Amino acid sequence: MSATPNSLFRHYLDSLIQQGTTRTSLTDEARNVLRTWYVASRQGGRPAASAPASPEPPPLQAAAPASAPASAPAGKPEPPELFPQNREPASAITLPEGTMEDKLQYLRNLAQNWKPARELNSLRDTMVFATGNPHTKLMLIGEAPGYYEEVQQEPFVGRAGEKLNQILRAMGLSRDMVYISNIVKFRPALPNQRTNNRAPTPEEIEACLPIIMHEIRVIQPKMIVALGGTAAVGLLGEQGSVSSMRGRFHDLNGIPVRVTYHPSYLLRSDSPREKRKVWEDMLAVMERLDMPISEKQRGYFLPRA
Ligand code: URA
């Protein structure tokens, strides 16, 4: 199923809660949108779509012109499918000829002044692109840079990054053996912001999506790990929590995607049980990539008999 504004908004609130946020404010416009959803749900219908939904095009192909889905019952509009509908057609980014590095450099330059993201005025100015080895089988994708990432202009260098490094080490890997990126390339802004961070909104994700999709197209990894729900929902355009999406492989243009908890989740819930869940996802990734797995690795975070 595709992401709906409702599910994305709920996911966004969940991610705020996961980050310890207990209060948030709403603009009048947001309040009006919520009111419309509420009224529509009381009437047994769904919020009116601002534009008709379209069937999901393959994420890197040009989106077909929006048209009402054949299955939509008359008079009951389907909720708008934000990601499929608004994905930048692939033709909008024409990658240059050349090496993988040339193409990534092109995308990096493009991302720096990426109009759909800059026009939102809700993201900070410093771009954090990606790190690691583009000639890899394994690409890991998080949500957005935070304070430390912005300072160092490198993804996953703060506490979540340390946790990610530990996970990679347990797999027998290091940062320079994989490619690490984020779905949003700029730190989401907050008023009077210091070291505090927030999760990107659905609009911010949608605006940056063409860049990460083209990174994937350039790298052509054998496997993608989506770190956390924001990356998973954004990449796959599927609705759901990490718990419901992890534990199996998804498909993104023929590339298997494993969804797992964000490393910062393990900073908060560091029990062996939760670690084991992430570890089982990583074992599945290693198996699928034909990586050697020792008996010791297989037993990490299992309860002692
Ligand atoms: N969390 C992310 O999702 N990405 C980063 O780069 C850092 C923290």
Side-chain angles (χ1 to χ4, degrees):
M1 188 194 280
S2 294
T4 63
N6 250 329
S7 69
L8 291 168
F9 183 62
R10 220 178 49 211
H11 171 74
Y12 171 62
L13 291 181
D14 280 348
S15 68
L16 288 184
I17 292 166
Q18 276 184 21
Q19 287 173 13
T21 302
T22 54
R23 295 171 75 93
T24 188
S25 59
L26 289 176
T27 61
D28 285 347
E29 196 188 349
R31 227 171 252 131
N32 281 337
V33 171
L34 286 177
R35 198 171 293 125
T36 313
W37 289 359
Y38 175 72
V39 170
S41 72
R42 298 273 298 185
Q43 289 166 351
R46 285 168 159 163
S50 53
S54 64
E56 184 162 2
L60 283 178
Q61 280 182 19
S67 60
S71 59
K76 240 192 180 191
E78 286 291 307
E81 297 183 353
L82 284 185
F83 291 118
Q85 184 170 304
N86 294 326
R87 261 180 195 145
E88 188 82 2
S91 56
I93 297 181
T94 307
L95 293 170
E97 295 291 314
T99 63
M100 196 182 268
E101 284 75 11
D102 295 335
K103 290 176 184 169
L104 288 174
Q105 187 57 47
Y106 178 83
L107 280 178
R108 186 184 284 263
N109 295 343
L110 197 69
Q112 180 69 65
N113 299 303
W114 187 240
K115 240 170 133 195
R118 306 312 316 155
E119 277 174 350
L120 292 175
N121 276 324
S122 60
L123 296 166
R124 291 167 63 97
D125 291 337
T126 305
M127 189 197 48
V128 180
F129 193 69
T131 190
N133 182 356
H135 301 273
T136 184
K137 290 183 182 171
L138 180 57
M139 183 165 177
L140 299 109
I141 302 175
E143 60 180 40
Y147 171 78
Y148 292 102
E149 288 74 26
E150 186 184 59
V151 169
Q152 296 191 39
Q153 294 179 37
E154 181 175 335
F156 283 101
V157 291
R159 286 188 67 220
E162 280 170 29
K163 192 50 88 182
L164 179 60
N165 293 347
Q166 285 173 9
I167 295 169
L168 290 173
R169 269 200 299 277
M171 296 169 79
L173 298 171
S174 60
R175 285 169 76 86
D176 54 10
M177 295 165 79
V178 298
Y179 184 89
I180 304 173
S181 198
N182 279 313
I183 200 158
V184 170
K185 303 300 188 204
F186 302 87
R187 183 176 166 216
L190 283 166
N192 305 318
Q193 194 164 17
R194 289 171 178 268
T195 54
N196 47 335
N197 301 313
R198 69 166 170 86
T201 62
E203 289 72 27
E204 289 162 349
I205 295 169
E206 179 203 323
C208 290
L209 204 57
I211 302 290
I212 188 71
M213 287 301 191
H214 282 77
E215 274 175 274
I216 294 170
R217 185 186 243 190
V218 172
I219 307 276
Q220 298 261 320
K222 293 268 176 291
M223 171 75 62
I224 293 172
V225 172
L227 297 165
T230 304
V233 170
L235 288 173
L236 298 168
E238 272 179 36
Q239 147 178 23
S241 62
V242 174
S243 329
S244 67
M245 293 171 87
R246 62 170 289 278
R248 65 185 190 279
F249 289 103
H250 302 256
D251 178 88
L252 183 62
N253 295 334
I255 302 171
V257 178
R258 193 78 180 192
V259 174
T260 197
Y261 291 106
H262 193 280
S264 61
Y265 173 76
L266 292 184
L267 293 172
R268 293 185 301 273
S269 315
D270 213 13
S271 72
R273 225 173 112 200
E274 298 311 295
K275 283 183 185 169
R276 178 70 195 179
K277 288 181 190 165
V278 172
W279 186 240
E280 281 173 4
D281 290 324
M282 295 307 108
L283 284 174
V285 165
M286 290 167 77
E287 266 168 15
R288 188 81 170 242
L289 290 177
D290 286 329
M291 289 169 61
I293 306 178
S294 67
E295 276 315 300
K296 190 171 165 199
Q297 280 174 313
R298 286 200 187 278
Y300 284 165
F301 312 117
L302 279 179
R304 285 170 200 258

